[in-house]
Structures are given as C-alpha cells and as structure tokens.
C-alpha cells in the first residue's frame, strides 16, 4: 500500500505506474475518496490529505475498511519535506528511524520568554527548554522497524536521483556539504508539525527536542506534517490485529531547506521559498524513483517478504507507551470458586516459546578471582540508567536449548565483545535454564538464563563491544564474591538496579554466609 499525502505526490506515482482500478473506501478524504490499485490487487495507493487530522482520519478509514485485508501489507509512506541543511539537500531522500511530534509542548510569545532562553517552547511538566517531559500523550515519538528500514535502504541507496537547475542554484547558496552537494539517499529522522515552521531558531528547537525524546540517539533531518499521525493509526491497528506495524516503510524527499544559509535571512528566504514551485520538482520525482524499486522488490519476490522482517532487538520499537507490549485480560477461578480477572502485558515479538536470554558470565584469569560482567543502559520506563545482566531478544530460528545458546553467544559478543574469536579468550556455555518468568504479576514475558564461562590469559586485552544501533551500553567488570556490595555502590551513585540481578547477588552473599 503506497501512502501519499497530497495531490502532487499522488500524481508522481499515478503518472508512471498503471494503477487504474479504483476501490472506494468509506471515510477517505473527500478530495481523494478511492484507493487506486493495479489489476492484480498487488499494489494500491491512497492519498490521505495534508496535515495530522487528515492523515489520521484517512489512515483509520483504510486500515479498518472491509475492502482490504491488510494483515500482511507493507505500507510505503512517502512525501516531500523540508530539510535541515546539516543533514541533506534539495532532492535528497531520507529514511527515518524516529518520527517526532513537535506540537505537544508548552509555548509562549518569544517576546515574553526569559532572556537566557534561545526559544520559547518547552516540554510538558517542565519549566525550561531542553528538559525531558514529565508526562506523555503517547504520540510524541515513534520508532520504525529499523531492520526493515535498513533492508530497504540497502536496496535503493545507490539509485540515481533526479536533479534540476533551479534546485542546483538554490543549494549553491549554502557554504558547505551536504547542503550544497548533489542529492543522496540517507538516514535521518523526521518531525511532524501542522505548523509550517522555518528558521534557525526553530531548527535548534526541533533538533534539541529530537535529542531529548530519543535520548540522544536521533538526528533531526526532515520536517513534515503527517508521519506521527500515520504511525499512531498503524500502532492502534497493529494492537487490534488489522496490520503489522513492523511493515511500515517511511521516507521523505526534500523539497526545501528549513532555514537560510544565514540566520539574518531566515524570513526573506522563508517567504521566497514558499513561492518557488519549481524547487519541488526533483523531490516529487525522487519519491517514485526511490519507491518503485521497493514496491517491485516486495511484489516480485513475495516469498522472501511474506513473513515480514523481524524488528530490531535491544531497542525500543513503536510508540512511547510501548507498542511491543499488548494488554490482555486474563480470567481464572480462584480456590474459593470466585471468577477473577487480571491485566497482563505481553511482548508481540516472541518467535517461539521464549522472549529473551539473560547471560551470567563467569570470567576467570589465572591471577584474579572470578568476575562477572554487568551492563548499564538507560531504560525509558524507569527513567534511569539500570545495572543489569547482559541480555537480548531471541530471534526466529533460535528455538530450544541450542537456539538459546546461539542467542546468548550472539548477544554476549554484541553487548560485551566476548567471543571465541576474541584474542586469548575461551568461551563455553556452562548451562541453560528452563524458561523463567520476568515479572509474573505484571507480564507474561519470559527468558532463559545462560551461564557462560570465559577463560582469559592475564595479558589478554579487554574486548570491544558491538551493540546494535541505538544501544548505548557501558560495561562493568565486578568480582563475583563482592557482587552485592558493588550493587550497593552503584545504587548510591544513582543507578537503578535490576531486581533479578539484586536477587542473584543476595543469593551469592547468603550462600557465602551459610558456607
């Protein structure tokens, strides 16, 4: 399903691709009331209408329409956008990891803001720009399936993009690359705002907002009006079982710069840009140039795409409320015969019978007592950096004990760098537990515990980790015999401690006392 936002984007596709069968979908925009499909029904296109309300309304009409079964459909969401000149140029095509909603903030007339503020917008529940929001509405931030994004990106990253003389003249005003370079396909994040903003001050604000919402893992590149609305609809439809959120492909083609080369010229450049219709020509052409190979690859090789692309491990995925968790009502009868109900949160990414694997390392060098390796990383639900055991989700094909071993060794190498290939290291799996449950009062999420022995020579170097994109992990080597006291030290320094790790430390300390 190709999703465009307004008529010029729609025409960029329909002028080149034979989608001649019209399917009426009740609730689509009055301006674009039908989905245009090919004769086989393999490819369809809708146009939502511009802005967040139009996008949300049209997408809702589509995903709940009885006219289509969209449970295995890939959504190719594409449109033109403004671009940050520090990230790209006119005609460049950006594939985001994150979509950031700009409008959910406090705002004040800039003439009334404190003198030490750069801009007059700040997050809910705070009293100054740059602070993390105290609460969320849920649509502020979405993360797409980056494994799918990367697969598609590799497919089209070398396509030759359209360019025109007016676009070349406009970008030549900018003093440095990538603004004054030829257009390319790149990775960069997109913002959503019904307010058509521009200028250096707004650019700084949305850059900082992106950094705050993504814990410094995102980079503001593109500005548009619909993407968060589209992703919110897909999120809700995913939870209801109508679509697969992990099949959303999103990209934007740059039609204008979001600021002038010099801040003093922002107003004049903004007004001038809104009147230059010829500047958007390459961006419209590039929507189709990039999108058509994606559509052809999926339709032409459906057996390779039918099962979907599993979403990334180790990072947040979906909206800020946790798209991967589904709430379900569990009913049972207690020993007295009374009917009871409980609400449970479950992962949607389980590939077999187990969600994840946790790793307890026993690291030995000839001259030192056994150590274990802990990791620390920011966990959004807690709002703190958490000390925990290395862990990761189990991928498809890693079922059973042997699969869990492979998953544990893979995650160990990625998060810590320890592997059999590391210089001077011998790595072996001591044991794999049965399935254990993380927090059975809240969730059905489960895991297996893998104990791994690592033998190192005294002069063997410490390995280098290779975490997934978006994972910002620090390593901590701790003696096993004093694990509990080290966790207490971490807590005093402001870290949160994973309860399962704390239980392990308490057990080791108690065993030592009873010995």
């Amino acid at each position: 399903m190709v999703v465009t936002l307004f008529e010029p984007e729609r025409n960029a596709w329909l002028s080149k691709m034979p989608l001649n069968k019209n399917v009426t979908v009740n609730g689509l925009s009055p301006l674009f009331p039908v989905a245009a499909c090919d004769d086989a029904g393999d490819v369809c296109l809708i146009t939502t209408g511009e802005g967040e309300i139009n996008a949300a309304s049209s997408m809702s009409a589509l995903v709940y329409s009885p006219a289509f079964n969209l449970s295995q459909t890939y959504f190719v969401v594409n449109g033109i956008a403004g671009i940050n000149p520090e990230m790209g140029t006119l005609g460049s095509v950006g594939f985001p990891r994150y979509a950031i909603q700009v409008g959910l903030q406090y705002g004040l007339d800039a003439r009334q803001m404190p003198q030490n503020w750069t801009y007059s917008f700040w997050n809910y529940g705070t009293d100054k720009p740059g602070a993390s929001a105290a609460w969320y509405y849920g649509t502020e931030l979405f993360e797409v399936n980056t494994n799918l994004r990367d697969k598609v990106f590799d497919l089209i990253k070398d396509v030759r993009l359209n360019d025109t003389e007016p676009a070349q003249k406009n970008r030549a005003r900018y003093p440095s690359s990538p603004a004054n370079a030829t257009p390319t396909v790149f990775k960069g994040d997109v913002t959503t705002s019904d307010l058509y903003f521009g200028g250096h001050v707004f650019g700084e604000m949305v850059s900082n907002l992106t950094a705050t919402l993504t814990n410094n893992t995102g980079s503001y590149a593109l500005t548009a009006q619909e993407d968060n609305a589209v992703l919110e609809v897909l999120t809700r439809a995913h939870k209801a079982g109508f679509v697969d959120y992990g099949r959303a492909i999103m990209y934007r083609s740059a039609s204008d710069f979001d600021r002038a080369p010099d801040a003093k010229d922002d107003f004049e450049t903004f007004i001038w840009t809104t009147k230059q219709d010829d500047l958007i020509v390459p961006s419209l052409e590039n929507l189709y140039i990039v999108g058509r190979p994606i559509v052809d690859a999926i339709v032409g090789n459906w057996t390779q795409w039918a099962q979907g692309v599993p979403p990334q491990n180790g990072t947040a995925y979906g909206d800020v409320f946790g798209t991967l968790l589904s709430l379900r009502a569990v009913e049972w009868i207690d020993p007295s015969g009374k009917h009871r109900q409980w609400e449970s949160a479950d992962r949607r990414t389980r590939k077999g019978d187990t969600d994840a694997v946790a790793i307890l390392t026993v690291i030995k060098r000839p001259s030192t007592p056994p150590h274990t390796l802990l990791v620390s990383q920011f966990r959004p639900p807690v709002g703190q950096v958490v000390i925990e055991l290395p862990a990761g989700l189990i991928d498809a094909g890693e079922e059973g004990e042997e699969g869990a071993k492979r998953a544990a060794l893979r995650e160990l190498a990625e998060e810590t760098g320890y592997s059999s290939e590391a210089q001077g290291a011998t790595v072996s799996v001591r044991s794999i537990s049965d399935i254990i449950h993380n927090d059975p009062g809240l969730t059905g999420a489960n895991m297996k515990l893998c104990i791994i022995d690592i033998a190192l020579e005294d002069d063997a170097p410490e390995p280098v980790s290779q975490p997934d994109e978006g994972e910002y992990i620090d390593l901590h080597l701790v003696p096993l015999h004093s694990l509990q006291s080290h966790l207490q030290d971490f807590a005093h320094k402001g870290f949160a401690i994973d309860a399962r790790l704390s239980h392990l430390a308490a057990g080791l300390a108690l065993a030592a006392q009873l010995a």
Side-chain angles (χ1 to χ4, degrees):
M1 181 66 68
V2 177
V3 179
T4 59
L5 297 319
F6 78 135
E7 188 167 13
E9 296 163 355
R10 179 183 181 89
N11 293 341
W13 283 84
L14 295 185
S15 63
K16 302 177 181 67
M17 193 170 187
L19 302 176
N20 300 317
K21 181 180 178 181
N22 289 336
V23 178
T24 299
V25 178
N26 293 329
L28 286 184
S29 166
L31 298 176
F32 314 104
V34 298
C37 302
D38 64 5
D39 291 336
D42 293 328
V43 182
C44 293
L45 177 148
I46 70 159
T47 304
T48 65
E50 296 166 274
E52 294 179 68
I53 293 176
N54 278 325
S57 299
S58 294
M59 285 299 297
S60 293
L62 172 69
V63 299
Y64 300 119
S65 171
F68 297 104
N69 178 352
L70 302 175
S71 59
Q72 289 187 295
T73 296
Y74 286 88
F75 294 87
V76 182
V77 184
N78 65 108
I80 63 174
I83 193 164
N84 175 358
E86 297 175 0
M87 294 293 292
T89 191
L90 300 180
S92 288
V93 177
F95 282 76
R97 172 186 176 186
Y98 296 114
I100 297 95
Q101 189 175 20
V102 174
L104 296 182
Q105 300 184 77
Y106 296 135
L108 191 69
D109 188 312
R111 293 167 294 184
Q112 297 175 296
M113 70 181 183
Q115 291 185 352
N116 62 336
W117 287 19
T118 307
Y119 48 83
S120 58
F121 297 87
W122 65 105
N123 284 325
Y124 290 152
T126 68
D127 57 7
K128 60 183 178 181
S132 297
W135 61 79
Y136 296 100
Y137 289 0
T139 58
E140 290 88 344
L141 176 70
F142 292 87
E143 183 176 10
V144 302
N145 180 347
T146 56
N147 288 340
L148 174 60
R149 180 199 64 167
D150 293 346
K151 181 175 182 176
V152 167
F153 183 87
D154 289 341
L155 183 70
I156 50 79
K157 63 183 179 182
D158 296 323
V159 298
R160 184 174 180 178
L161 298 176
N162 181 272
D163 201 6
T164 62
E165 184 177 349
Q168 293 166 2
K169 288 182 177 179
N170 191 9
R171 72 169 68 98
R173 301 182 302 122
Y174 289 77
S176 60
S177 178
N180 63 11
T182 56
T184 61
V185 180
F186 71 102
K187 296 177 182 178
D189 299 315
V190 64
T191 61
T192 297
S193 173
D194 281 336
L195 178 67
Y196 194 135
F197 62 79
H200 282 72
V201 174
F202 258 105
E204 179 183 354
M205 183 270 286
V206 294
S207 291
N208 291 341
L209 178 64
T210 299
T212 300
L213 285 174
T214 65
N215 194 32
N216 294 311
T217 62
S219 298
Y220 160 61
L222 299 152
T223 171
Q225 294 181 303
E226 298 87 11
D227 293 356
N228 285 60
V230 170
L231 292 176
E232 173 64 11
V233 172
L234 293 179
T235 297
R236 297 187 185 192
H238 174 104
K239 292 178 179 179
F242 286 86
V243 305
D244 180 354
Y245 176 91
R247 298 184 185 223
I249 300 165
M250 182 169 283
Y251 65 91
R252 288 279 181 169
S253 182
S255 59
D256 59 276
F257 290 110
D258 75 345
R259 68 198 76 173
D262 192 299
K264 65 180 177 60
D265 300 320
D266 276 340
F267 175 72
E268 289 77 10
T269 296
F270 186 92
I271 297 300
W272 177 82
T273 298
T274 61
K275 300 176 181 179
Q276 306 303 309
D277 292 340
D278 55 351
L279 290 180
I280 74 170
V281 172
S283 63
L284 291 170
E285 292 293 320
N286 290 337
L287 293 178
Y288 181 80
I289 288 172
V290 168
R292 182 61 189 264
I294 297 171
V295 171
D296 289 346
I298 295 172
V299 174
N301 303 279
W302 180 245
T303 56
Q304 300 176 22
W305 293 80
Q307 297 304 311
V309 178
Q312 60 271 24
N313 284 342
T315 56
Y317 158 64
D319 64 20
V320 293
F321 286 162
T323 296
L324 293 187
L325 294 178
S326 63
L327 294 178
R328 61 185 174 96
V330 180
E331 296 183 354
W332 86 101
I333 301 175
D334 71 14
S336 69
K338 184 176 181 178
H339 287 263
R340 294 188 178 274
Q341 189 176 82
W342 197 270
E343 197 168 62
S344 170
D346 296 311
R347 286 188 179 274
R348 289 185 176 271
T349 53
R350 184 180 295 174
K351 305 301 187 300
D353 59 1
T354 312
D355 287 310
V357 61
I359 304 157
L360 173 61
T361 56
V362 181
I363 302 172
K364 296 180 180 179
R365 294 179 186 263
S367 62
T368 59
H371 283 60
T372 194
L373 194 67
L374 309 179
V375 299
S376 61
Q377 58 184 315
F378 180 79
R379 293 296 192 182
V382 181
Q384 288 180 269
V385 176
V386 180
I387 302 290
E388 56 195 37
L389 291 175
L393 297 179
I394 290 178
D395 286 342
E398 293 178 336
E399 295 81 9
E401 182 171 319
E402 288 303 315
K405 286 182 181 179
R406 292 197 303 273
L409 292 172
R410 169 175 50 78
E411 289 294 332
L412 180 69
E414 290 176 359
E415 291 198 2
T416 72
Y418 284 105
S419 71
S420 297
E421 286 73 37
Q423 181 180 348
T426 301
V427 177
S428 59
V429 176
R430 179 191 291 253
S431 64
I432 293 281
S433 75
D434 293 330
I435 294 174
I436 51 180
H437 297 274
N438 301 5
D439 188 351
L442 172 66
T443 175
N446 61 27
M447 64 169 52
K448 292 183 177 181
L449 176 65
C450 182
I451 301 177
I452 296 180
D453 291 306
I454 302 173
L456 297 169
E457 299 297 332
D458 280 331
D459 59 353
E462 292 298 330
V464 178
S465 62
Q466 296 179 322
D468 288 338
E469 180 186 1
E471 287 188 309
Y472 290 81
I473 296 174
D474 291 322
L475 308 181
H476 309 273
L477 196 61
V478 176
L480 271 170
H481 72 271
S482 57
L483 178 59
Q484 188 174 46
S485 63
H486 276 80
L487 293 185
Q488 291 169 349
D489 290 341
F490 281 124
H492 292 155
K493 293 176 181 177
F495 291 92
I497 309 299
D498 184 283
R500 293 160 295 186
L501 177 59
S502 180
H503 297 163
L504 170 65
L508 291 174
L510 180 61
Q513 294 171 12
L514 297 177

